[in-house]
Amino acid sequence: MQTVLRDAGTFLPILLQGLKFTVLVTLGSLALSTVLGLVWALMRVSGIAWLAFVAKMIVNTLRGIPILVQLFYIYFVFPEFGVALTALQASIIGLGIAYSAYHSENFRAGIEAIDHGQIEAAQSIGMGWFMMMRRVILPQAIKVILPPYGNIMIMMLKDSSQASTITVAELTLQGQILASSTFKNMTVYTLVALLYLSMSLPLIAFVGWLERRFGKGARR
Amino acid sequence: MIELSKVTKSFGSHQVLKGITGSVQRGEVVCLIGPSGSGKSTILRCINGLESYDGGAITVDGAKVDRADRSIVGIRTAMAMVFQRFNLFPHRTALENVVEGPIHVKKEPPAEALARGRDLLARVGLADKFGSYPAQLSGGQMQRVAIARALAMQPKAILFDEPTSALDPELVGEVLGVMKSLAEEGMTMLVVTHEMGFAREVADRVLFLDGGVIVEEGAAREVLSAPRNPRTQDFLRRVLKPI
């Protein structure tokens, strides 16, 4: 037991190095995927047929290719077109683009859940499309959007481990390196798992709170 | 002020409006009555540009209503609309609902808009409800907020789309009372309604619509008391004596 604790003490700083990249990849790709997802969703509900079609094609393509393959494509294939990215950049962009499809579907569902009368009321006082989205539709849709958004956040935190496949030294890859050089598999992977849980459990609690606050049955 | 000339409109293969011609003069109160599905609401929605129309022409003060054209914003702010289901913004208080258009669409100074918004809410009898959210108000109160929201745009006319149809019977009076006082102050109003008492008392003219055409029109008392067209007679008999 003492050895385990001593090992843990030695390994933890190294794993925390990895944790830093896990957080970086998660937050970076979350920001990118949220913005892109909103763009696809707004294109889908724009009422302009070709825009909606383009967005639908993009979302379906992204949903239809494994995230791992998308990461490989960006990291290994893009350089052949002259776009060379660092592993960290590639993982943030790759996960960001891949997850934008899931955000988009969630945002679209939230926007479409708003009563059509709201659109008519906004139009009847002379609002244009963007102002209507910003002032009337999105502030209401956010209550529908938030709980599933939290769930996607949790998935993204865990899927940031896929960045390890393109050499980003995040938590999982640091663990792998440690384990294979020390053969202390149990200690290392237990620590890795605990570190993921230390981030995802609070996040899960936060999503639960969001669901109680905004979900079905909540007042207004 | 509002002119309709041979307006036609179809939803798919179903023609809702089959050549509507009519007008509303400045300061006039006109009621549109008729059985459900006759196209009454569609006419209002076409005037406000919420629906497009297929043929004919609608003009407001000489400007053609075309919902695809930028000019529609000006027409919409001039033709305020009050909806059957109120359509208040649920995430904003009564006062915020009223000043939304003036502040954000018409870019009025907020202090001015807020002062006028409070006056308008007081005028519809809701001086104590500035900070209430729609969910905290009764149907009658919500519809009065909606009327204040329409007035806040300082419109040239207000289009009412069955403003009392979603209300409990005991709340109808408070909304009709506000509408009546607007009429007395000279507001131009086009009202789709099933309230024959209101039409008789307040309207200058009544248009009876059936099957997408105007079957009969004339002074309110004439049309409602002594209808000439058999379809109008039949409709009024059924409305006034339902059992």
Side-chain angles (χ1 to χ4, degrees):
Chain A
M1 187 64 196
Q2 274 194 332
T3 345
V4 171
L5 283 179
R6 200 178 53 240
D7 286 345
T10 321
F11 297 158
L12 202 55
I14 301 168
L15 291 177
L16 285 176
Q17 281 291 314
L19 187 94
K20 195 180 75 185
F21 283 101
T22 293
V23 171
L24 212 58
V25 170
T26 306
L27 290 182
S29 57
L30 181 67
L32 179 64
S33 60
T34 302
V35 173
L36 284 179
L38 192 59
V39 172
W40 312 145
L42 290 177
M43 284 166 73
R44 281 296 288 275
V45 300
S46 64
I48 301 168
W50 71 266
L51 268 184
F53 179 77
V54 168
K56 191 176 168 185
M57 285 299 112
I58 291 173
V59 167
N60 285 350
T61 306
L62 294 177
R63 285 200 299 177
I65 301 172
I67 293 174
L68 207 52
V69 176
Q70 293 185 45
L71 281 180
F72 288 166
Y73 208 88
I74 288 174
Y75 191 55
F76 297 118
V77 181
F78 274 24
E80 293 189 24
F81 300 109
V83 184
L85 299 165
T86 66
L88 181 65
Q89 288 168 340
S91 62
I92 288 175
I93 292 171
L95 284 168
I97 290 175
Y99 263 98
S100 71
Y102 303 97
H103 283 305
S104 161
E105 290 298 281
N106 178 32
F107 293 159
R108 183 169 67 93
I111 290 168
E112 287 177 348
I114 304 304
D115 176 26
H116 194 69
Q118 293 290 309
I119 296 174
E120 298 193 338
Q123 287 180 339
S124 78
I125 57 171
M127 280 192 181
W129 192 85
F130 280 103
M131 187 186 285
M132 172 182 85
M133 277 294 157
R134 188 167 57 82
R135 302 238 7 125
V136 177
I137 305 297
L138 290 177
Q140 296 182 60
I142 199 157
K143 294 173 186 180
V144 188
I145 288 169
L146 265 182
Y149 183 84
N151 281 318
I152 299 177
M153 263 162 61
I154 296 166
M155 282 159 60
M156 291 187 75
L157 171 67
K158 293 181 295 173
D159 273 349
S160 68
S161 62
Q162 302 207 34
S164 66
T165 59
I166 56 168
T167 75
V168 177
E170 46 66 73
L171 186 50
T172 303
L173 185 56
Q174 288 292 78
Q176 254 177 332
I177 293 168
L178 264 182
S180 60
S181 58
T182 62
F183 300 106
K184 308 239 174 176
N185 286 306
M186 192 182 75
T187 315
V188 171
Y189 286 121
T190 305
L191 279 174
V192 169
L194 286 174
L195 283 172
Y196 274 113
L197 278 177
S198 73
M199 294 184 290
S200 55
L201 286 181
L203 213 49
I204 289 168
F206 175 61
V207 172
W209 178 81
L210 286 178
E211 279 173 348
R212 282 193 304 280
R213 174 80 175 73
F214 295 121
K216 276 190 185 136
R219 221 183 108 257
R220 278 210 311 277
Chain B
M1 172 178 217
I2 304 171
E3 303 276 348
L4 293 94
S5 167
K6 297 177 189 145
V7 175
T8 58
K9 163 84 183 167
S10 300
F11 289 112
S13 60
H14 176 57
Q15 193 172 15
V16 204
L17 302 181
K18 298 172 181 168
I20 301 286
T21 298
S23 67
V24 180
Q25 305 304 318
R26 193 173 299 280
E28 202 178 22
V29 177
V30 176
C31 281
L32 269 171
I33 62 170
S36 61
S38 58
K40 308 182 297 289
S41 292
T42 307
I43 292 179
L44 287 199
R45 297 162 59 79
C46 285
I47 295 173
N48 196 266
L50 290 177
E51 298 275 5
S52 58
Y53 51 98
D54 306 330
I58 302 176
T59 58
V60 171
D61 278 340
K64 190 167 189 293
V65 177
D66 177 359
R67 80 189 296 260
D69 192 86
R70 290 189 68 86
S71 62
I72 194 67
V73 174
I75 289 170
R76 280 175 176 156
T77 50
M79 301 283 111
M81 184 118 178
V82 173
F83 299 91
Q84 180 177 357
R85 306 243 9 122
F86 329 130
N87 296 356
L88 292 181
F89 304 130
H91 57 305
R92 303 201 188 281
T93 63
L95 184 58
E96 286 169 348
N97 264 279
V98 173
V99 300
E100 180 72 20
I103 292 180
H104 295 281
V105 178
K106 296 178 91 178
K107 310 288 180 200
E108 289 177 22
E112 225 170 82
L114 284 166
R116 203 173 71 240
R118 288 191 197 95
D119 287 349
L120 286 170
L121 279 174
R123 180 171 161 194
V124 297
L126 295 172
D128 55 337
K129 300 289 183 190
F130 294 163
S132 301
Y133 285 91
Q136 298 164 326
L137 300 173
S138 73
Q141 290 170 333
M142 282 196 267
Q143 195 59 298
R144 284 185 283 151
V145 173
I147 292 174
R149 176 171 71 178
L151 288 171
M153 298 304 287
Q154 299 179 308
K156 292 176 181 165
I158 304 184
L159 311 171
F160 290 87
D161 188 5
E162 302 199 28
T164 58
S165 297
L167 297 177
D168 290 337
E170 79 271 21
L171 302 177
V172 168
E174 61 192 61
V175 171
L176 292 182
V178 169
M179 290 169 63
K180 190 177 169 201
S181 73
L182 287 180
E184 283 161 359
E185 288 162 31
M187 176 58 78
T188 309
M189 293 161 59
L190 181 55
V191 186
V192 171
T193 189
H194 293 294
E195 296 293 333
M196 294 307 145
F198 175 82
R200 189 192 309 263
E201 197 180 335
V202 180
D204 298 304
R205 276 191 304 133
V206 166
L207 308 181
F208 175 72
L209 210 69
D210 191 9
V213 292
I214 294 176
V215 175
E216 185 162 353
E217 73 170 290
R221 278 174 197 285
E222 281 173 31
V223 175
L224 296 173
S225 308
R228 289 188 300 272
N229 189 292
R231 277 149 83 183
T232 320
Q233 290 165 2
D234 184 49
F235 172 75
L236 288 173
R237 197 178 306 122
R238 276 183 287 127
V239 170
L240 298 173
K241 292 203 181 70
I243 308 172

